[in-house]
């Protein structure tokens, strides 16, 4: 299957700014998905609100564009009602770690089979550049004109600590690596989270004088590494383990209770 | 010599970000007025860097389409 055939052509071109990394994440996701033998009708893509969350609207699957921060609760409901569906959440760093942070940690704790792809551009893009829980210390944002005094979450460690059984990080500058780890996340039986470092040239880039989209990708090239280079942001797979999946436990419990009830 | 790869750009999708130009190892692509364009089609080695980095689904590299 050609990955571009998974787009809703009538909605294209997409609305993202020139050089926005969100389209690169979407492209890698579709390439990863097109390589599997999923029936598109068995895929559900859920998103919240944000530039990144607009992604679901361009996809020719079952899609749901929900409310800010609540993609994971909607996805949880869908997965429990239709366990046979491949349920994927496309979300921003604001959507998933600020307003939606609580949902994220509890879905990870439960190990429900969702593939959550976080488009981490370190900022709220859609609402014009407020800092998020993933904005680095002392970086500039509309709401931090003198620098952000907060310290960011390390999303990989947060997800791991919360119990996610598959955790990876990649970056838009590495489209092949990105496609590969998304593919592995999609195959995982349990909660998977893939953090993707992506560029928002319009707000994060402009506020922090990072230059053009090409310059922002160069920054990624110099400041990320798949081989653990000192002083860089590590990319790779940081957790991959098997633990009973939430839905499996739930349906098993129903079965046991049903058997116990016979004869009443 | 003609390349066995063909690079096509959908102008309707291209936003002229220049990312494809920056990742092409063979200088096949260049930025025109506000869109990318194919300058040296014969140099393409089919590495797919441009297509995989394009944020706008504007680029397609195909094999064996250059000699019609
Ligand atoms: C309940 C609620 N609060 C606030 C907003 C405003 N709002 C819309 S998008 C957004 C943040 C988006 O940031 P992120 O999820 O990082 O996505 P990005 O736009 O950067 O891709 C906010 C705060 C909203 N729509 N609903
Ligand atoms: S504001 Fe930023 S995140 Fe939103 S589309 Fe533009 S570049 Fe992308
Ligand atoms: S990367 Fe895509 S959108 Fe950007 S200039 Fe090249 S073809 Fe156009
Ligand atoms: S396929 Fe490779 S060589 Fe050909 S235009 Fe694209 S980046 Fe350049």
């Amino acid at each position: 299957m050609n990955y571009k055939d998974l787009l809703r052509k009538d909605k294209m071109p997409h609305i993202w700014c020139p050089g926005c990394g969100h389209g690169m994440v979407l492209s890698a996701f579709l390439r990863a998905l097109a390589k599997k033998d999923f029936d598109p009708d068995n895929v559900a893509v859920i998103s919240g609100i944000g530039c990144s969350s607009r992604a679901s609207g361009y996809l020719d699957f079952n899609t749901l564009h929900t409310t800010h921060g609540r993609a994971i609760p909607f996805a949880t409901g869908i997965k429990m009602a239709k366990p046979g569906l491949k349920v994927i959440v496309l979300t921003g760093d604001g959507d998933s770690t600020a307003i939606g942070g609580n949902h994220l940690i509890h879905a990870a704790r439960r190990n429900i089979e969702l593939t959550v792809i976080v488009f981490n551009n370190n900022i709220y893009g859609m609402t014009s550049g407020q800092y998020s829980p993933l904005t680095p210390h002392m970086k500039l944002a509309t709401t931090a004109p003198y620098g952000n005094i907060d310290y960011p979450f390390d999303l990989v460690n947060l997800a791991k600590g919360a119990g996610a059984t598959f955790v990876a990080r990649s970056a838009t500058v590495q489209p092949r690596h990105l496609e590969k780890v998304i593919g592995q996340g999609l195959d995982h039986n349990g909660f998977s989270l893939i953090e993707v470092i992506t560029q928002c040239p319009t707000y994060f880039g402009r506020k922090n004088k990072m230059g053009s989209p090409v310059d922002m990708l160069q920054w990624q090239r110099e400041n990320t590494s798949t081989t653990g280079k000192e002083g860089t942001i590590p990319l790779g797979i940081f957790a991959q383990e098997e633990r009973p999946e939430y839905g499996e436990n739930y349906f098993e419990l129903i079965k046991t209770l049903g058997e116990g009830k016979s004869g009443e | 010599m003609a390349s066995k790869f063909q690079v096509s750009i959908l102008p309707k999708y291209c936003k002229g970000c220049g990312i494809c130009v920056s990742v092409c190892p063979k200088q096949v692509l260049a930025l025109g007025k506000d869109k990318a364009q194919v300058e040296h089609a014969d140099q393409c080695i089919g590495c797919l860097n441009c297509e995989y980095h394009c944020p706008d689904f504007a680029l397609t590299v195909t094999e064996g389409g250059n000699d019609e």
Side-chain angles (χ1 to χ4, degrees):
Chain A
M1 189 190 301
N2 186 312
Y3 69 100
K4 287 179 186 152
D5 292 338
L6 299 170
L7 290 168
R8 288 182 191 154
K9 295 266 157 58
D10 58 323
K11 304 283 186 223
M12 295 289 289
H14 58 58
I15 49 126
W16 294 317
C17 305
C20 172
H22 289 354
M24 300 168 81
V25 187
L26 190 62
S27 174
F29 163 60
L30 289 182
R31 293 197 308 272
L33 199 62
K35 289 201 174 128
K36 319 261 175 214
D37 59 355
F38 290 134
D39 172 358
D41 288 339
N42 273 328
V43 173
V45 178
I46 324 301
S47 63
I49 298 290
C51 294
S52 35
S53 294
R54 297 290 293 255
S56 60
Y58 301 112
L59 303 177
D60 198 8
F61 308 117
N62 303 290
T63 60
L64 201 57
H65 191 182
T66 70
T67 55
H68 193 35
R70 314 299 176 211
I72 288 176
F74 280 92
T76 300
I78 290 164
K79 186 68 187 171
M80 294 310 283
K82 294 227 179 260
L85 287 185
K86 187 82 215 162
V87 184
I88 298 150
V89 172
L90 302 182
T91 175
D93 48 309
D95 198 59
S96 64
T97 69
I99 187 169
N102 222 13
H103 303 304
L104 178 77
I105 56 176
H106 293 290
R109 177 174 63 83
R110 285 171 159 169
N111 196 33
I112 183 164
E113 192 191 315
L114 304 175
T115 308
V116 178
I117 302 176
V118 179
F119 295 48
N120 177 15
N121 57 9
N122 309 105
I123 205 143
Y124 291 179
M126 176 167 268
T127 46
S128 65
Q130 296 82 0
Y131 63 82
S132 89
L134 297 188
T135 303
H137 182 60
M138 292 319 280
K139 288 290 172 194
L140 302 176
T142 323
T143 43
Y146 306 108
N148 174 30
I149 59 169
D150 284 12
Y151 292 92
F153 283 132
D154 176 328
L155 186 54
V156 162
N157 285 336
L158 178 73
K160 262 171 78 172
T165 48
F166 181 97
V167 183
R169 187 190 286 118
S170 189
T172 50
V173 77
Q174 298 250 21
R176 290 175 177 86
H177 180 265
L178 176 57
E179 175 188 328
K180 190 165 149 231
V181 297
I182 292 177
Q184 285 169 283
L186 288 169
D187 287 340
H188 182 70
N189 176 31
F191 184 87
S192 57
L193 180 133
I194 299 115
E195 175 191 350
V196 189
I197 297 172
T198 175
Q199 71 279 9
C200 168
T202 302
Y203 291 108
F204 192 76
R206 198 180 283 163
K207 278 265 162 223
N208 291 287
K209 301 201 171 30
M210 293 178 81
S212 69
V214 171
D215 297 329
M216 290 187 83
L217 288 177
Q218 184 57 26
W219 182 91
Q220 283 189 24
R221 218 170 265 126
E222 287 163 10
N223 292 280
T224 63
S225 156
T226 52
T227 55
K229 201 174 135 215
E230 213 153 313
T232 62
I233 304 168
L235 308 181
I237 294 173
F238 302 96
Q240 192 167 21
E241 57 176 273
E242 293 299 322
R243 180 152 62 80
E245 194 270 333
Y246 184 71
E248 280 167 22
N249 284 345
Y250 177 75
F251 292 108
E252 182 58 35
L253 181 62
I254 289 181
K255 197 166 145 255
T256 329
L257 293 174
E259 282 160 3
K261 272 199 175 148
S262 61
E264 257 184 63
Chain B
M1 212 185 77
S3 164
K4 62 181 171 114
F5 299 99
Q6 190 177 359
V7 188
S8 58
I9 301 171
L10 264 180
K12 188 177 159 228
Y13 286 11
C14 174
K15 293 177 187 152
C17 67
I19 291 174
C20 56
V21 179
S22 75
V23 297
C24 176
K26 292 287 174 187
Q27 286 81 48
V28 173
L29 306 159
L31 215 47
K33 221 169 168 294
D34 51 7
K35 310 264 174 198
Q37 59 195 40
V38 181
E39 289 278 275
H40 302 291
D42 54 320
Q43 295 295 308
C44 177
I45 55 167
C47 70
L48 285 167
N49 268 357
C50 54
E51 178 171 338
Y52 286 4
H53 282 82
C54 174
D56 286 89
F57 300 89
L59 263 159
T60 309
V61 181
T62 43
E63 199 171 338
N66 219 15
D67 46 13
E68 69 258 57

